[in-house]
Structures are given as C-alpha cells and as structure tokens.
Amino acid sequence: SYEVTQPPSVSVSPGQTATITCSGDALPQQYVYWYQQKPGQAPVLVIYKDSERPSGIPERFSGSSSGTMVTLTISGVQAEDEADYYCHSADSSGIYVVFGGGTKLTVL
Amino acid sequence: QVQLVESGGGVVQPGRSLRLSCAASGFTLRTYGMHWVRQAPGKGLEWVAVIWYDGRKTYYVDPVTGRFTISRDISKNTVYLQMNSLRADDTAVYYCARSQDDYSNYGPFDIWGQGTMVTVSS
C-alpha cells in the first residue's frame, strides 16, 4: 500500500525556523494537507493544497512543494507550536487517503 | 455552528461488534464527503474509510476491509461506522471528519469531531 514519509522528530529553539518534510511517489500528482495535533485534541488543519493557509492560521505557517517532497515551514517558532504534525495526501488513484507517520516538533 | 459529535465508543471483547455514530450539525451530509480516521494510543493518524457526498461510493483502508462499514442517514444527518469482528489492534480513538469543500469527497479535512475511544480487550 502507498505510504508517505515524515521525519519522526524535529527540534528547534524559539524564534528559529522549523521545517518538516513529507515525501511520497504520488505527491507530484496529489495535494498535501498539514495538520497540527496537540495532546488530547483533534487535529487542526494548518495548510491545504500544499501551500494555502486556512483563515485563522498564523502567517508563520507556510508550505511548499518540489517533486516528490512537500515541506511545512514554521518561521519564528513559538512555544505554542510544540505539537505533532501530520501530512495527509492520497495515492495515485486519488481514492485512498494516507497520513504520514507524524513529526513531533519540540521547541527547546 | 458547524460541528461533528461522535458517540458509541467503549470496551468490547475481541470478535464482537460496535457501531459508532457521528452527528453533524450546521451543514448537510448531502453535499460533503465524510471520513473516519483513527489513532491508536501513542500512535499516528490512520485513515479508515470514506463515504462520498452522494452516498454512492465507500472505500476502506486494507486492514478493515470486509469488517467495517461506513454509512449515513441523511434524515438524521449522521454518519455511522459499523465495526465487526473487532481485534485488539482496532483499539484507538476514532474521529469523524468532513472534506472541506462541498461536493467534494476528498481534499483537506476542515472539521473534526472530538473522537470516541474504542478499546478491544478480553
């Protein structure tokens, strides 16, 4: 079955830039969506269609894509950004949804 | 207010069945694809199933195919997940989620429920 891959963890100091990647063979054909999840809470959409930001999401969250890799960038990381981040996409048929394994962002 | 509220979780023995409900409010299921996503304790998100906005198609992740069934009742504006032959590895928080765009079956999930816990144990 199709998989997308994320690094398990990323650590940055406050004010620095965090980058979280998501890679998969079908990503050139399928959009990627990013969610933030804090302990005990449901996921929250922070980026859609690779780089679009929903209303209410801070401008420090951005996304980009290049070939088989999509990147979530958090500029000027704040303590409140510490969370798990998941990418979401689909296989080449567009029918079967897949999530990445998640990346734990630690703010040092 | 647009929201989803899940219910029906609990503790169940292996091999038994359970039905989860997801009550939608503030929008109609007639025009949105709906999904179930689960999260085992301490683990990541796993997509489980989708029902298309027109109700004509359903799809499942391989581990639940043949055991789980997603359905909906438009009159109650509720989505269901019937889970049969439950196994220990089905233990998870189960979320329902809405596809963001109306008349879309996929795309980003913009509304999520609070989740309902299912524990499969003897």
Side-chain angles (χ1 to χ4, degrees), chain B residues 27-83:
Chain B
F27 70 99
T28 174
L29 295 180
R30 292 182 185 275
T31 58
Y32 289 88
M34 294 296 297
H35 299 253
W36 285 96
V37 177
R38 67 184 179 182
Q39 187 169 34
K43 302 297 184 182
L45 302 173
E46 180 182 38
W47 175 76
V48 174
V50 60
I51 184 165
W52 285 14
Y53 72 85
D54 59 7
R56 294 185 180 185
K57 296 283 189 180
T58 59
Y59 294 96
Y60 304 88
V61 70
D62 283 348
V64 310
T65 298
R67 300 188 298 123
F68 290 12
T69 302
I70 187 172
S71 63
R72 67 183 190 176
D73 185 333
I74 294 296
S75 68
K76 296 181 178 179
N77 217 32
T78 298
V79 179
Y80 302 99
L81 186 68
Q82 176 68 43
M83 304 185 295

Side-chain angles (χ1 to χ4, degrees), chain A residues 1 33 35 37 40-45 47-49 54 84 86 88 90 94-101, chain B residues 35 37 39 43-47 50 52 59-62 95 100-101 106-110 112-115:
Chain A
S1 60
Y33 316 100
Y35 302 88
Q37 186 183 35
Q41 298 182 17
V44 173
L45 180 68
I47 293 289
Y48 66 100
K49 288 186 179 179
D84 294 325
Y86 294 92
H88 154 200
I95 289 175
Y96 295 94
V97 172
V98 61
F99 285 95
Chain B
H35 299 253
V37 177
Q39 187 169 34
K43 302 297 184 182
L45 302 173
E46 180 182 38
W47 175 76
V50 60
W52 285 14
Y59 294 96
Y60 304 88
V61 70
D62 283 348
Y95 296 99
Q100 177 174 271
D101 297 324
Y106 295 93
F109 301 160
D110 65 334
W112 295 67
Q114 83 287 355

Side-chain angles (χ1 to χ4, degrees), chain A residues 39-86:
Chain A
Q41 298 182 17
V44 173
L45 180 68
V46 295
I47 293 289
Y48 66 100
K49 288 186 179 179
D50 293 348
S51 60
E52 300 293 320
R53 193 173 53 249
S55 61
I57 300 301
E59 291 184 4
R60 62 180 181 274
F61 288 86
S62 64
S64 62
S65 67
S66 179
T68 59
M69 182 174 288
V70 177
T71 301
L72 171 68
T73 300
I74 310 172
S75 304
V77 167
Q78 300 181 6
E80 66 196 50
D81 299 330
E82 185 165 283
D84 294 325
Y85 291 85
Y86 294 92

Side-chain angles (χ1 to χ4, degrees), chain B residues 53 56 63 71 79 86 88 93 103 105 107 111 114 120:
Chain B
Y53 72 85
R56 294 185 180 185
S71 63
V79 179
L86 282 162
V93 173
Y103 301 102
N105 298 307
I111 306 295
Q114 83 287 355
V120 183

